[in-house]
Amino acid sequence: MTKWHPIQALGIGLMVATLIGCGPEANSRTGDQFWDPNTTKETFEPIEVPDYSVVYRDETPDDSDDNDWTALLTIDFTALSRRSKDGIVPAYVRGASAAKVIDDLIDTNISGINETQFFNNLEVGEDGRLRTDIAGDYQLVLDFDVIWPNGNSVAYVIDDIRFTVPGCQTSHLYYSDYINPVLADNCVNCHDAGDASSAFNLSADSLDNRRSSFLAKVDADGVSAPRTGTLLDYIYSADHSGASTVAAMTVSQSTVLTSFITRLKAIDDDNADTRGVTTDFAFSATDGADYCFARPSTMVVENS
């Protein structure tokens, strides 16, 4: 029978204690797969949405009945940018449109633009807040990578920064930001080529042709024979070969498309309204205010 010298026994005991102490959490600091940066705060500060605030300025002329507002967004994501691997290229989304560069929301007259800090700098008298006066729903997007202490590069997308600019869009902007993306995501794939395009051609290459074809279908009393019913009836019917694609639409996409077609049809069917869908809704930049956004319930108004 092997007998352990007291000093040997002590050494083994210390080794066992050390191994017990080095569970997943301790091993994780040298790359263990169980390491979690969002719960291991002493080794890695969690990634969080930066603080931001939005105030609104009433820009409506005294002699106008319009409701013109400018939204001013204060935000500082310098700390996140410093932690990111390659910096942050911020973008914004209006409606369902593709992301746009944030430069569109920056006042070009500001002399010392910091690409991660946007605030009203009272010391130098320059208002560097992000700003927009185009009505609609907005979403700021911060897309970046962070190197974890275990060496992994992890992608983050922060898209919780949202606000609404009240007022009415021109129909041109509403179509481009809300309707066209729905058609592009759900309809163009089938209706640009093949059998489906013969009845309803939504060009993938020409936005103008796509818009004209779409409005012509909205303007028609019904879909082409042998199909029956209105355009909305057919889109959501089981007879539609693209019914599964339509069913996969998000609730917001379906709501936007349905309300848009319904509103245009109501205008077209109203004998007292002389506008026509394909003539007066050509969606030029000067088209009227038919697509409006209500004031946010928590709207903070700033004196101009």
Side-chain angles (χ1 to χ4, degrees):
M1 179 176 180
T2 303
K3 293 185 178 180
W4 296 102
H5 188 279
I7 294 180
Q8 288 177 306
L10 177 61
I12 291 174
L14 289 174
M15 182 168 60
V16 171
T18 301
L19 289 175
I20 293 173
C22 290
E25 177 60 29
N27 284 340
S28 68
R29 293 169 189 170
T30 57
D32 188 280
Q33 61 178 320
F34 297 105
W35 187 84
D36 183 352
N38 289 307
T39 58
T40 315
K41 193 174 178 67
E42 66 271 19
T43 60
F44 189 83
E45 289 289 331
I47 299 296
E48 297 178 344
V49 179
D51 292 335
Y52 71 97
S53 64
V54 181
V55 298
Y56 297 84
R57 184 176 293 166
D58 189 352
E59 309 281 10
T60 307
D62 294 336
D63 59 349
S64 174
D65 294 329
D66 293 337
N67 192 15
D68 298 328
W69 294 92
T70 295
L72 301 149
L73 172 63
T74 298
I75 188 169
D76 183 353
F77 49 89
T78 304
L80 283 183
S81 183
R82 288 172 179 167
R83 295 179 63 185
S84 65
K85 178 183 176 183
D86 301 307
I88 298 177
V89 179
Y92 76 96
V93 172
R94 183 169 57 239
S97 66
K100 303 175 176 67
V101 294
I102 203 173
D103 296 19
D104 296 345
L105 308 183
I106 299 175
D107 188 343
T108 56
N109 295 318
I110 302 299
S111 59
I113 293 177
N114 185 317
E115 295 182 349
T116 60
Q117 293 178 311
F118 301 95
F119 62 100
N120 192 3
N121 192 342
L122 299 176
E123 291 184 3
V124 298
E126 287 190 338
D127 190 344
R129 292 174 290 186
L130 299 176
R131 61 180 60 212
T132 176
D133 58 2
I134 299 175
D137 300 312
Y138 286 77
Q139 178 182 25
L140 194 67
V141 181
L142 305 178
D143 190 349
F144 56 99
D145 294 336
V146 171
I147 301 296
W148 283 1
N150 64 359
N152 292 336
S153 178
V154 179
Y156 286 86
V157 177
I158 291 178
D159 57 5
D160 300 326
I161 302 167
R162 301 167 184 257
F163 60 96
T164 296
V165 179
C168 301
Q169 282 197 349
T170 65
S171 48
H172 165 74
L173 290 174
Y174 187 83
Y175 176 88
S176 62
D177 289 342
Y178 287 83
I179 304 303
N180 187 62
V182 175
L183 300 179
D185 288 348
N186 301 283
C187 308
V188 169
N189 188 50
C190 291
H191 284 277
D192 178 53
D195 294 340
S197 65
S198 63
F200 191 7
N201 188 1
L202 298 176
S203 171
D205 299 323
S206 173
L207 296 182
D208 288 339
N209 289 343
R210 183 190 307 168
R211 182 180 63 232
S212 297
S213 180
F214 174 72
L215 291 177
K217 279 294 182 185
V218 173
D219 192 37
D221 291 333
V223 294
S224 304
R227 304 164 187 87
T228 59
T230 67
L231 176 62
L232 271 182
D233 292 335
Y234 183 68
I235 288 176
Y236 291 96
S237 75
D239 295 334
H240 183 194
S241 59
S244 60
T245 301
V246 173
M249 282 187 187
T250 65
V251 173
S252 61
Q253 286 180 329
S254 182
T255 299
V256 163
L257 185 63
T258 298
S259 62
F260 183 73
I261 294 175
T262 300
R263 177 170 293 186
L264 289 188
K265 282 300 296 178
I267 291 172
D268 192 45
D269 295 339
D270 185 354
N271 293 330
D273 194 327
T274 58
R275 292 177 296 178
V277 172
T278 57
T279 54
D280 295 302
F281 283 81
F283 295 91
S284 65
T286 57
D287 278 339
D290 285 282
Y291 309 100
C292 304
F293 298 83
R295 294 177 58 167
S297 58
T298 57
M299 184 172 175
V300 177
V301 179
E302 178 182 84
N303 293 328
S304 58

